[in-house]
Amino acid sequence: MSNGFTYFIAVLRREATRIFQDKVMLFVCFIAPVFGILMLWWTFSAGVVRHLPMAIVDQDNTATSIKLAHMIGASPTVDITDESPDIKSAQNLMNKGKISAIVAIPKDFEKDIIKGNSPAVVLYINNINVVSGGMLQSGIQKTLMTFSTGIKMQVEMKKGYTQQQALARAMPIRFDNHILFNPYRNYSYFLLMGLLPLSVVVVCFLGTLYAFGMEIKEGSAKQLMRTANNNIFIAIAGKILPHTFIYVCAMRVVSLIMIHAIGLPMHGNIWLLLISETLMILAYQSVALVFIALTSNLRLSLSLGSAYTMMAMTFSGLTFPTLGMPFVAQLLSKIFPFTYWLKIFMNETLRSIPNLHVTQSFIGLFVFILLAIICFAKLERVFTNDKYWGKS
């Protein structure tokens, strides 16, 4: 037992030395995670979408239409950057990408209101970006509803009704809206909770592939096995643990940023979240070992690994709900450890539902770790047979 521990420490020291002597590994282990985290944090630091450019086409130019334009401009979501004389001019601006929405107030707008008619205010939205398009539509429509309700209340109050009675007649049915999760519609909660951990996952996965792939490419795998006394378990454990420690620390930094700096609520158990982060890092390192075992080639494993890690963003259910995907896509989502971790993360931060619901996710992460152990026999052949060495 003591001899095994001695060999393990020897492999551990060997890997630490290789990390600090290899410029690529130094970049992957220390610079890339920090750069990725800081860049994403800065990019989405605003949190909530604000000041999206739009144009107003006021064909009435009366006190009422100007008041409506001012109310729309007061919405924090929009920023009126142009007051076009006609629709065609505003549409040209939208086609050039200078504005994202157009509100057209028709001629005789005030006159129709006084007569009791219902003039149509036309809204044009550039919905190429679904998130910004949805925010624009929601913000502008809410303003139009408020304005319309105010007009109706004024009409009812002129008939002798009190303000409360006028409100009841203007809005006979009131919608009581309760947003349970992410009530502020914070964009950071939506994107950063996926992008920040995913940036660490990508670096972790590719870094692990590079660390083990270079042993094969350089033919130094034999030396690794000799240092581990030809024990594949000691060789892999001693080599992978320094990387595990580095990437787990990076995930801890991500958690601190999201919870303390961004303000993501922590409704669940912090220890379950920390354990899940460690398991996710180990799961991705395990999958990296499977890639190395199957390809025995550094370049091929890095190429396949890049596609594999980036696909996790699409299939995890973060940008598009998994339940809305075709059945085959739902099955594909199961091959990414990130999918299981994301469920745990959302439960422990935003939702806080009973922990029984995340048990399957923890089991899923353990399954990925077990996959690597199954491949140990193949990895031992790759590390000890020189026919696999020297491949780029």
Side-chain angles (χ1 to χ4, degrees), residues 11 13 23-24 83 119 148 171 187 190 197 219 221-222 249 261 264 266 276 288-289 298 302 317-318 341 350:
V11 175
R13 289 176 177 172
K23 292 181 179 179
V24 175
E83 296 182 4
S148 178
M171 295 183 63
Y187 205 62
F190 165 64
K222 186 175 183 179
C249 288
L264 188 70
M266 186 69 207
S276 71
L289 292 177
L298 173 61
L302 284 174
L318 180 65
W341 175 82
L350 294 175

Side-chain angles (χ1 to χ4, degrees), residues 315-327:
F315 289 95
S316 64
L318 180 65
T319 55
F320 189 86
T322 307
L323 292 175
M325 297 179 184
F327 178 71

